[in-house]
Amino acid sequence: MDLATGVANGQGRHPIFSFGVIADVQYADIPDGHSFLGVRRYYRHSILVLQRAVKSWNDCKNLNFVINFGDIVDGKCPKDQSLDAVKKVVGEYPIMAVVMPTRTMTFHQPQVIDLLYWMDMIFSAIGWPIDHPNTLEAMKVLNEKNPNSNKNSPEGLEGVDRRFVMFNGAVGKEQMEWLNSVLQDATNMEQKVIVCCHLPLDPGATSKTTLLWNYDQVMDVIHRYDCVKVCLSGHNHEGGYSIDSHGVHHRVLDAALECPPGTDAFGYIDVYDNMLSLVGTDRLENTDFSFDS
């Protein structure tokens, strides 16, 4: 669906606000390749998907900001090219972008941030120096949970234990305390909340190999409150959707990286008082999230 002409399912109402979404661009100036599981990846095409997304978002003229759900440069990008690749991707965004999960925000209506909370994956075996405490702690978890010499392999792991691979990670103690605090504040102010996280938080919405390591602990915090209505994420490149046992909607966004040439995966979300409407393009399907007022 063309974002400039797409009609959301808001029963003709004007949304409270709207924002663009895209996930897992993972650009690299290298030939096409494959994931660990053999899925085709289109490294140079992914930035063309982003460029078309930005054009569509600009054509909309009514978006308040844009969220990139993380993994903006692929791990296979040569290290001597990585900084230039990051600059190239970030340089494509309009000024109102929110780049996940680094908490970069420059949009013009800061009051809407009260309705959106996002979490950094700060407890991980990648992305930190090899001797960093976060790396050492993450490797301790992996060594306890994953017996394989290749910690990116889930071989032999069953069910949700397949999440204990190196390309995933966890939310740390400080972030858990922060999440609990902001959800308490949101409850006190009678706000509705959208939680955004790079890694998925519900097994029903994603492959077990792409779950946040401590998804269960995070969801225990979220389920203490009634304010969270929707959790949005990326990371699982084929996307997904579920409603959990507490009625929280989980939507995993399809990856720009795995769009064959000429196809796309991006969209925008219209926010209403009692629903959200994701208007997607091509591989990113439309999804409505209805909830009690």
Side-chain angles (χ1 to χ4, degrees), residues 41 93 110 153 186 195 200 233 244 251 266 268:
R41 290 182 165 183
Y93 284 94
S153 171
V195 172
S233 65
D244 69 26
R251 182 64 163 94
F266 58 84
Y268 68 91

Side-chain angles (χ1 to χ4, degrees), residues 181-226:
S181 175
V182 296
L183 295 185
Q184 181 64 68
D185 289 344
T187 298
N188 294 341
M189 292 184 285
E190 299 184 346
Q191 293 178 331
K192 300 181 181 72
V193 173
I194 304 165
V195 172
C196 301
C197 183
H198 175 61
L199 270 71
L201 299 173
D202 183 62
T206 186
S207 162
K208 306 301 185 291
T209 58
T210 56
L211 278 167
L212 189 79
W213 287 349
N214 58 342
Y215 78 91
D216 47 350
Q217 296 173 5
V218 173
M219 290 312 303
D220 283 347
V221 173
I222 288 174
H223 288 158
R224 290 174 196 166
Y225 306 94
D226 293 327

Side-chain angles (χ1 to χ4, degrees), residues 167-185:
F167 55 77
N168 295 332
V171 171
K173 179 181 178 182
E174 182 180 352
Q175 282 267 288
M176 294 284 281
E177 293 173 350
W178 169 82
L179 177 64
N180 185 73
S181 175
V182 296
L183 295 185
Q184 181 64 68
D185 289 344

Side-chain angles (χ1 to χ4, degrees), residues 69-251:
F69 279 79
D71 281 1
I72 61 175
V73 172
D74 195 80
K76 291 185 179 180
C77 180
K79 292 190 181 301
D80 61 349
Q81 299 178 24
S82 59
L83 181 58
D84 287 341
V86 170
K87 290 179 178 178
K88 184 175 179 66
V89 173
V90 173
E92 295 292 340
Y93 284 94
I95 192 171
M96 55 186 174
V98 178
V99 180
M100 290 279 294
T102 56
R103 288 211 225 173
T104 301
M105 60 180 186
T106 56
F107 47 87
H108 299 291
Q109 297 188 11
Q111 67 270 22
V112 302
I113 201 61
D114 290 336
L115 301 173
L116 284 151
Y117 298 106
W118 56 89
M119 298 180 292
D120 297 339
M121 188 186 69
I122 60 174
F123 177 39
S124 171
I126 55 177
W128 301 96
I130 193 169
D131 58 348
H132 192 282
N134 287 349
T135 305
L136 297 176
E137 189 174 358
M139 287 306 302
K140 181 180 178 181
V141 170
L142 283 174
N143 288 329
E144 291 174 352
K145 299 291 187 179
N146 187 332
N148 299 307
S149 58
N150 178 2
K151 298 304 180 186
N152 272 327
S153 171
E155 184 177 356
L157 302 178
E158 300 292 335
V160 294
D161 283 348
R162 292 175 64 82
R163 72 190 187 276
F164 291 109
V165 288
M166 187 178 286
F167 55 77
N168 295 332
V171 171
K173 179 181 178 182
E174 182 180 352
Q175 282 267 288
M176 294 284 281
E177 293 173 350
W178 169 82
L179 177 64
N180 185 73
S181 175
V182 296
L183 295 185
Q184 181 64 68
D185 289 344
T187 298
N188 294 341
M189 292 184 285
E190 299 184 346
Q191 293 178 331
K192 300 181 181 72
V193 173
I194 304 165
V195 172
C196 301
C197 183
H198 175 61
L199 270 71
L201 299 173
D202 183 62
T206 186
S207 162
K208 306 301 185 291
T209 58
T210 56
L211 278 167
L212 189 79
W213 287 349
N214 58 342
Y215 78 91
D216 47 350
Q217 296 173 5
V218 173
M219 290 312 303
D220 283 347
V221 173
I222 288 174
H223 288 158
R224 290 174 196 166
Y225 306 94
D226 293 327
C227 57
V228 178
K229 304 303 179 182
V230 177
C231 294
L232 301 173
S233 65
H235 192 57
N236 184 44
H237 291 183
E238 62 186 19
Y241 172 71
S242 68
I243 302 177
D244 69 26
S245 60
H246 287 63
V248 178
H249 298 259
H250 295 259
R251 182 64 163 94

